[in-house]
Amino acid sequence: MTAGEKAKAKTEQAKGKAKEAAGSAVGNDRTAAEGQVEKSTGDAREAKEKAKDAFKH
């Protein structure tokens, strides 16, 4: 996993988790859903990079 892609995935996950928590805290379902999508995008990016690493070794 390249360092840049790994950092991007972790950043997306963290931002998504924070946005989801903030949306839930204030009762804003749209913000919570957007955060969930960002977190999922980060999870998918991380999984893709891990799969690429598995085939390299």
Side-chain angles (χ1 to χ4, degrees):
M1 180 184 283
T2 64
E5 288 295 318
K6 184 176 182 180
K8 191 171 183 178
K10 292 294 183 187
T11 301
E12 283 179 338
Q13 290 169 336
K15 280 177 37 181
K17 191 172 185 177
K19 195 172 192 179
E20 183 179 3
S24 295
V26 297
N28 188 330
D29 293 335
R30 181 176 177 180
T31 301
E34 288 173 358
Q36 208 169 26
V37 169
E38 278 186 41
K39 186 172 169 249
S40 296
T41 302
D43 291 342
R45 183 182 308 277
E46 183 176 35
K48 178 188 82 168
E49 291 300 316
K50 283 184 178 182
K52 284 171 45 178
D53 283 347
F55 286 108
K56 285 182 181 178
H57 300 298

